[in-house]
Amino acid sequence: MIPLAEITAATRALQATADRLDDDRVRAPSLLPGWTRGHVLTHLARNADGGTRLLTWARTGVETREYPSLDARAAEIEEGADRPARVLAEDVRQSARRFADAFALMPDEAWGRVVQWTAGARHPAARAADARLTEVLVHHVDLDAGFTPADWPATFTTRMLASVTASYARRDDAPSLRLRATDTGEEHGHGGVLVTGPAPALLAWLLGRSPGTDLTGPEGVELPFLY
């Protein structure tokens, strides 16, 4: 399970970026099609609250849904996206604090309790910690405000490269890949197309955050939507 210290460090970096944005910049486009930076920041705040509810469910045994529905989740993001920059930044700060408080309250045995995400998937509550770190780090890049895949912690990049290649190996719509990181020497996957490049660039490509032009071997490879 991801320790709270990793989530806290990633959140502090995100918060520093959010605090620097003014009203004009939060209304500018993010790297996500159709979303402004305000949409991304609102999504990150509501994601923290959704994770808090899942952890509360696991701790108390009382069903506390991540979101009422996927439609409700989308509506909350849309309604919150046009708020002033200072309000958006404070929402990110306070929601992250609620998540950290819920994390700290979790007894060891609660992390293995199974809870249900809005889309219907059921996982041990520890998955909420892993998912939160991924949300913060990947969507920080999506803000297009100075934080790039090269800023991802090496431990996160290595874990995610292993996770994504394993996920692809289980999918019928994904290519067979072997990844070789030229900066760390690590390899992921077996057989299939060999793609090489720096570890952060490999992960950014797999996550759809890069066209892969800084890699060797991805030409003609069609990647399914992952995240």
XYZ file of all heavy atoms in Angstrom, residues 117-177:
464
model
N -16.238 0.914 -5.864
C -16.093 2.190 -6.576
C -17.365 2.480 -7.379
O -18.195 1.587 -7.598
C -14.879 2.136 -7.502
C -13.594 2.549 -6.860
C -12.874 3.673 -7.139
C -12.838 1.869 -5.835
N -11.738 3.736 -6.355
C -11.691 2.649 -5.559
C -13.041 0.685 -5.125
C -10.743 2.277 -4.600
C -12.096 0.309 -4.170
C -10.969 1.098 -3.919
N -17.517 3.706 -7.822
C -18.747 4.129 -8.476
C -19.047 3.334 -9.735
O -20.202 3.031 -10.040
C -18.682 5.631 -8.814
O -18.335 6.355 -7.627
C -20.009 6.148 -9.337
N -18.015 2.988 -10.488
C -18.220 2.235 -11.728
C -18.543 0.768 -11.484
O -18.836 0.041 -12.436
C -16.990 2.357 -12.616
N -18.505 0.331 -10.237
C -18.893 -1.038 -9.897
C -17.760 -1.947 -9.485
O -18.002 -3.032 -8.944
N -16.502 -1.547 -9.728
C -15.366 -2.385 -9.343
C -15.264 -2.465 -7.823
O -15.517 -1.485 -7.115
C -14.082 -1.823 -9.926
N -14.898 -3.635 -7.340
C -14.735 -3.845 -5.906
C -13.277 -4.214 -5.628
O -12.723 -5.125 -6.250
C -15.670 -4.947 -5.411
C -17.152 -4.571 -5.536
C -18.050 -5.714 -5.098
N -17.874 -6.077 -3.702
C -18.460 -5.448 -2.678
N -19.275 -4.424 -2.911
N -18.243 -5.836 -1.445
N -12.672 -3.498 -4.684
C -11.262 -3.720 -4.350
C -11.071 -3.501 -2.850
O -11.875 -2.815 -2.206
C -10.354 -2.732 -5.084
C -10.447 -2.790 -6.563
N -9.944 -3.835 -7.307
C -10.984 -1.919 -7.465
C -10.152 -3.612 -8.587
N -10.783 -2.460 -8.710
N -9.981 -4.036 -2.288
C -9.628 -3.663 -0.918
C -9.423 -2.156 -0.816
O -8.989 -1.507 -1.786
C -8.315 -4.426 -0.679
C -8.362 -5.575 -1.625
C -9.075 -5.055 -2.846
N -9.703 -1.605 0.342
C -9.622 -0.149 0.528
C -8.233 0.400 0.258
O -8.090 1.585 -0.077
C -10.061 0.210 1.942
N -7.199 -0.435 0.375
C -5.842 0.036 0.086
C -5.731 0.583 -1.327
O -4.884 1.453 -1.605
C -4.838 -1.100 0.284
N -6.576 0.112 -2.226
C -6.546 0.609 -3.603
C -6.859 2.114 -3.650
O -6.403 2.809 -4.566
C -7.552 -0.164 -4.457
C -7.642 0.256 -5.909
C -6.404 -0.139 -6.706
N -6.334 -1.579 -6.890
C -6.879 -2.242 -7.899
N -7.547 -1.582 -8.841
N -6.750 -3.543 -7.998
N -7.635 2.614 -2.686
C -7.967 4.042 -2.675
C -6.726 4.896 -2.446
O -6.621 6.007 -2.976
C -9.019 4.333 -1.614
N -5.788 4.394 -1.648
C -4.539 5.130 -1.435
C -3.705 5.131 -2.703
O -3.167 6.172 -3.118
C -3.759 4.508 -0.274
N -3.586 3.971 -3.347
C -2.830 3.885 -4.601
C -3.439 4.806 -5.657
O -2.721 5.523 -6.366
C -2.840 2.447 -5.122
C -2.224 1.460 -4.150
O -1.605 1.907 -3.160
O -2.365 0.249 -4.374
N -4.776 4.764 -5.757
C -5.466 5.555 -6.769
C -5.302 7.051 -6.520
O -5.151 7.837 -7.469
C -6.947 5.189 -6.798
N -5.307 7.449 -5.262
C -5.170 8.878 -4.961
C -3.818 9.408 -5.402
O -3.728 10.494 -5.996
C -5.380 9.128 -3.462
C -5.232 10.591 -3.044
C -6.195 11.498 -3.766
N -5.994 12.907 -3.415
C -6.539 13.927 -4.050
N -7.325 13.709 -5.091
N -6.331 15.161 -3.659
N -2.755 8.668 -5.133
C -1.441 9.123 -5.570
C -1.393 9.253 -7.084
O -0.870 10.238 -7.618
C -0.359 8.149 -5.097
C 1.071 8.532 -5.504
C 1.502 9.828 -4.824
C 2.047 7.405 -5.172
N -1.948 8.287 -7.787
C -1.963 8.338 -9.247
C -2.744 9.543 -9.746
O -2.303 10.252 -10.664
C -2.557 7.044 -9.819
O -1.775 5.933 -9.375
C -2.577 7.065 -11.342
N -3.900 9.791 -9.158
C -4.708 10.948 -9.557
C -3.913 12.251 -9.396
O -3.901 13.099 -10.290
C -5.978 11.013 -8.704
C -6.986 9.921 -8.980
C -7.867 10.219 -10.183
O -7.974 11.405 -10.555
O -8.425 9.255 -10.732
N -3.282 12.409 -8.258
C -2.566 13.656 -7.984
C -1.405 13.844 -8.958
O -1.241 14.924 -9.548
C -2.064 13.675 -6.525
C -1.114 14.849 -6.295
C -3.248 13.785 -5.560
N -0.609 12.814 -9.153
C 0.580 12.962 -9.989
C 0.241 13.094 -11.473
O 0.828 13.929 -12.185
C 1.517 11.776 -9.764
C 2.231 11.757 -8.407
C 2.988 10.452 -8.221
C 3.187 12.948 -8.270
N -0.688 12.301 -11.966
C -1.015 12.350 -13.390
C -1.774 13.631 -13.733
O -1.471 14.315 -14.719
C -1.810 11.103 -13.817
C -2.260 11.231 -15.274
C -0.961 9.851 -13.642
N -2.752 14.006 -12.906
C -3.514 15.216 -13.218
C -2.723 16.494 -12.942
O -3.051 17.543 -13.501
C -4.836 15.211 -12.453
C -5.819 14.225 -13.000
N -6.071 14.098 -14.348
C -6.610 13.301 -12.383
C -6.967 13.153 -14.540
N -7.303 12.660 -13.373
N -1.687 16.400 -12.112
C -0.799 17.557 -11.963
C -0.147 17.857 -13.312
O -0.033 19.020 -13.724
C 0.261 17.261 -10.894
C 1.008 18.465 -10.427
N 1.895 18.432 -9.363
C 1.030 19.761 -10.869
C 2.406 19.635 -9.179
N 1.908 20.453 -10.081
N 0.256 16.822 -14.026
C 0.788 17.010 -15.381
C -0.281 17.613 -16.291
O -0.005 18.516 -17.091
C 1.289 15.672 -15.949
C 1.604 15.799 -17.441
C 2.523 15.184 -15.188
N -1.521 17.130 -16.157
C -2.609 17.600 -17.014
C -2.892 19.087 -16.854
O -3.479 19.706 -17.747
C -3.886 16.811 -16.732
C -3.787 15.360 -17.183
O -3.009 15.076 -18.116
O -4.483 14.508 -16.593
N -2.505 19.678 -15.728
C -2.707 21.114 -15.540
C -1.871 21.937 -16.526
O -2.183 23.104 -16.778
C -2.335 21.523 -14.108
C -3.332 21.154 -13.008
C -2.737 21.479 -11.640
C -4.657 21.877 -13.196
N -0.816 21.352 -17.063
C 0.036 22.050 -18.022
C 0.523 23.375 -17.436
O 0.422 24.432 -18.063
C -0.735 22.297 -19.330
C 0.164 22.741 -20.473
O 1.373 22.453 -20.421
O -0.348 23.382 -21.417
N 1.051 23.276 -16.228
C 1.472 24.488 -15.525
C 2.886 24.347 -14.973
O 3.218 24.901 -13.927
C 0.494 24.807 -14.393
N 3.727 23.590 -15.666
C 5.129 23.493 -15.282
C 5.563 22.157 -14.731
O 6.762 21.857 -14.704
N 4.621 21.340 -14.283
C 4.935 20.015 -13.751
C 4.791 19.005 -14.884
O 3.749 18.943 -15.546
C 3.968 19.679 -12.607
C 4.257 18.393 -11.881
C 5.113 18.366 -10.794
C 3.650 17.208 -12.278
C 5.365 17.182 -10.106
C 3.892 16.018 -11.602
C 4.751 16.000 -10.519
N 5.835 18.220 -15.138
C 5.855 17.306 -16.272
C 6.126 15.873 -15.809
O 6.489 15.654 -14.642
C 6.952 17.713 -17.276
O 8.245 17.382 -16.720
C 6.887 19.201 -17.595
N 5.986 14.890 -16.708
C 6.304 13.506 -16.321
C 7.715 13.342 -15.759
O 7.946 12.454 -14.926
C 6.123 12.744 -17.633
C 5.035 13.485 -18.336
C 5.343 14.933 -18.042
N 8.648 14.182 -16.170
C 10.009 14.100 -15.633
C 10.045 14.400 -14.134
O 11.019 14.037 -13.451
C 10.932 15.064 -16.381
N 8.992 15.043 -13.624
C 8.915 15.369 -12.199
C 8.281 14.253 -11.367
O 8.234 14.349 -10.133
C 8.122 16.666 -11.994
C 8.804 17.861 -12.626
O 10.001 18.064 -12.343
O 8.156 18.578 -13.412
N 7.769 13.214 -12.013
C 7.203 12.101 -11.250
C 8.286 11.414 -10.424
O 9.407 11.197 -10.920
C 6.571 11.076 -12.190
C 5.269 11.482 -12.786
C 4.353 12.347 -12.269
C 4.722 11.027 -14.034
N 3.274 12.471 -13.111
C 3.468 11.680 -14.197
C 5.169 10.148 -15.020
C 2.657 11.460 -15.301
C 4.371 9.922 -16.130
C 3.121 10.571 -16.269
N 7.993 11.026 -9.182
C 8.983 10.283 -8.391
C 9.343 8.968 -9.074
O 8.493 8.305 -9.675
C 8.249 10.028 -7.059
C 7.168 11.062 -7.014
C 6.757 11.296 -8.429
N 10.601 8.586 -8.973
C 11.065 7.365 -9.634
C 10.319 6.134 -9.125
O 10.035 5.208 -9.898
C 12.564 7.203 -9.422
N 9.996 6.112 -7.836
C 9.278 4.959 -7.289
C 7.899 4.824 -7.917
O 7.451 3.712 -8.228
C 9.135 5.082 -5.761
O 8.571 6.376 -5.441
C 10.470 4.940 -5.067
N 7.235 5.943 -8.137
C 5.922 5.929 -8.778
C 6.037 5.448 -10.216
O 5.258 4.599 -10.672
C 5.318 7.334 -8.741
C 4.097 7.506 -9.614
C 2.874 7.015 -9.212
C 4.190 8.165 -10.841
C 1.745 7.169 -10.015
C 3.070 8.327 -11.649
C 1.847 7.818 -11.231
N 7.014 5.966 -10.937
C 7.177 5.592 -12.343
C 7.439 4.101 -12.485
O 6.830 3.423 -13.326
C 8.325 6.399 -12.974
O 8.037 7.801 -12.854
C 8.487 6.066 -14.439
N 8.301 3.562 -11.662
C 8.613 2.133 -11.730
C 7.390 1.285 -11.410
O 7.092 0.307 -12.121
C 9.754 1.791 -10.766
O 10.955 2.449 -11.209
C 10.009 0.296 -10.711
N 6.681 1.646 -10.351
C 5.473 0.885 -9.982
C 4.448 0.921 -11.100
O 3.838 -0.088 -11.445
C 4.847 1.459 -8.704
C 5.476 1.021 -7.414
C 4.566 1.303 -6.224
N 4.134 2.678 -6.154
C 4.711 3.608 -5.392
N 5.762 3.309 -4.648
N 4.254 4.847 -5.373
N 4.238 2.105 -11.665
C 3.208 2.243 -12.687
C 3.589 1.548 -13.988
O 2.741 0.976 -14.671
C 2.920 3.717 -12.937
C 2.089 4.370 -11.847
S 0.407 3.691 -11.763
C -0.298 4.367 -13.267
N 4.857 1.579 -14.359
C 5.285 0.862 -15.562
C 4.997 -0.629 -15.416
O 4.499 -1.277 -16.343
C 6.775 1.089 -15.828
C 7.166 2.427 -16.444
C 8.679 2.578 -16.475
C 6.589 2.574 -17.851
N 5.301 -1.187 -14.249
C 5.028 -2.605 -14.008
C 3.534 -2.868 -14.018
O 3.058 -3.863 -14.597
C 5.641 -3.029 -12.675
N 2.759 -1.981 -13.398
C 1.311 -2.170 -13.309
C 0.640 -2.080 -14.668
O -0.222 -2.899 -15.012
C 0.722 -1.125 -12.356
O -0.685 -1.193 -12.325
N 1.040 -1.089 -15.462
C 0.393 -0.880 -16.757
C 0.730 -2.013 -17.723
O -0.145 -2.519 -18.434
C 0.793 0.484 -17.354
C 0.265 0.615 -18.775
C 0.247 1.615 -16.492
N 1.980 -2.438 -17.754
C 2.332 -3.535 -18.653
C 1.629 -4.820 -18.246
O 1.201 -5.604 -19.098
C 3.856 -3.756 -18.709
O 4.372 -3.881 -17.380
C 4.547 -2.608 -19.408
N 1.470 -5.039 -16.949
C 0.727 -6.219 -16.478
C -0.743 -6.110 -16.871
O -1.374 -7.105 -17.255
C 0.869 -6.363 -14.968
N -1.290 -4.898 -16.784
C -2.683 -4.688 -17.180
C -2.868 -4.965 -18.663
O -3.839 -5.612 -19.082
C -3.105 -3.254 -16.857
O -4.388 -2.952 -17.369
N -1.940 -4.480 -19.475
C -2.022 -4.720 -20.916
C -1.963 -6.205 -21.241
O -2.636 -6.683 -22.163
C -0.883 -3.994 -21.628
C -1.150 -2.527 -21.896
C -2.302 -1.909 -21.441
C -0.233 -1.760 -22.607
C -2.533 -0.573 -21.688
C -0.461 -0.424 -22.865
C -1.622 0.168 -22.397
O -1.858 1.488 -22.654
N -1.154 -6.951 -20.497
C -1.004 -8.387 -20.758
C -2.305 -9.141 -20.523
O -2.519 -10.224 -21.084
C 0.099 -8.961 -19.877
N -3.192 -8.557 -19.717
C -4.481 -9.217 -19.412
C -5.590 -8.786 -20.363
O -6.696 -9.315 -20.291
C -4.897 -8.899 -17.972
C -3.962 -9.428 -16.907
C -4.564 -9.284 -15.522
N -4.759 -7.882 -15.151
C -3.866 -7.172 -14.465
N -2.713 -7.713 -14.114
N -4.101 -5.904 -14.153
N -5.314 -7.830 -21.240
C -6.360 -7.268 -22.097
C -6.244 -7.775 -23.531
O -5.138 -7.914 -24.065
C -6.267 -5.739 -22.095
C -6.589 -5.123 -20.753
C -6.400 -3.632 -20.739
N -7.225 -2.928 -21.713
C -7.608 -1.662 -21.592
N -7.250 -0.968 -20.518
N -8.339 -1.091 -22.508
N -7.395 -8.037 -24.131
C -7.411 -8.481 -25.527
C -7.198 -7.335 -26.507
O -6.810 -7.560 -27.657
C -8.744 -9.174 -25.848
C -8.930 -10.463 -25.080
O -7.905 -11.098 -24.729
O -10.092 -10.840 -24.826
N -7.473 -6.091 -26.054
C -7.383 -4.952 -26.969
C -6.064 -4.202 -26.846
O -5.913 -3.114 -27.401
C -8.545 -3.986 -26.722
C -8.517 -3.384 -25.323
O -7.834 -3.952 -24.439
O -9.182 -2.349 -25.105
N -5.116 -4.761 -26.114
C -3.844 -4.071 -25.894
C -2.711 -4.789 -26.623
O -2.724 -6.010 -26.749
C -3.536 -4.005 -24.406
N -1.728 -4.034 -27.098
C -0.591 -4.661 -27.777
C 0.319 -5.364 -26.779
O 0.351 -5.023 -25.595
C 0.124 -3.471 -28.418
C -0.197 -2.327 -27.507
C -1.602 -2.563 -27.028
N 1.058 -6.330 -27.263
C 2.086 -6.983 -26.452
C 3.335 -6.121 -26.504
O 3.855 -5.826 -27.590
C 2.367 -8.383 -26.992
O 3.403 -9.000 -26.249
N 3.814 -5.684 -25.344
C 4.919 -4.743 -25.290
C 6.032 -5.227 -24.373
O 5.786 -5.919 -23.376
C 4.447 -3.384 -24.773
C 3.428 -2.608 -25.608
C 2.980 -1.366 -24.847
C 4.024 -2.213 -26.960
